[in-house]
Amino acid sequence: MTDIISPLPGVFYRRPGPGKDPYIETGDTVEAGQTIGVIEIMKQFSEIPAPIAGVVGEFLVADNGAVNPGDVIVTISET
């Protein structure tokens, strides 16, 4: 199991915009480098990539939830 950790403080968004589908869902297969969400701080959005290929496990931060550096956002199991 690999944790995806927030590199910066801000608000975590699972979707690219209001009314859009989430980047990923629990149980999805992701590729290394695939965007799993974005963190917004002061109107700047930073994409958060999956560090490995695998299956999305549990989200530990809610959509529109606050994050701090070092917080685990989601887990991924290697395939």
Side-chain angles (χ1 to χ4, degrees), residues 34-71:
Q34 181 177 339
T35 300
I36 61 98
V38 295
I39 294 177
E40 182 261 329
I41 182 169
M42 298 178 65
K43 303 298 179 197
Q44 288 191 342
F45 294 85
S46 299
E47 291 184 350
I48 305 301
I52 62 167
V55 177
V56 178
E58 177 183 9
F59 278 92
L60 302 173
V61 175
D63 190 24
N64 301 327
V67 292
N68 290 303
D71 288 352

Side-chain angles (χ1 to χ4, degrees), residues 2 4 24 30-37 48-54 56 74 76:
T2 298
I4 298 179
I24 60 170
V30 295
E31 298 297 324
Q34 181 177 339
T35 300
I36 61 98
I48 305 301
I52 62 167
V56 178
V74 65
I76 296 179

Side-chain angles (χ1 to χ4, degrees), residues 1-32:
M1 188 82 55
T2 298
D3 295 336
I4 298 179
I5 296 174
S6 176
L8 50 121
V11 177
F12 175 70
Y13 295 101
R14 290 181 57 189
R15 303 167 189 276
K20 306 265 180 162
D21 290 334
Y23 288 104
I24 60 170
E25 297 276 6
T26 300
D28 286 354
T29 299
V30 295
E31 298 297 324

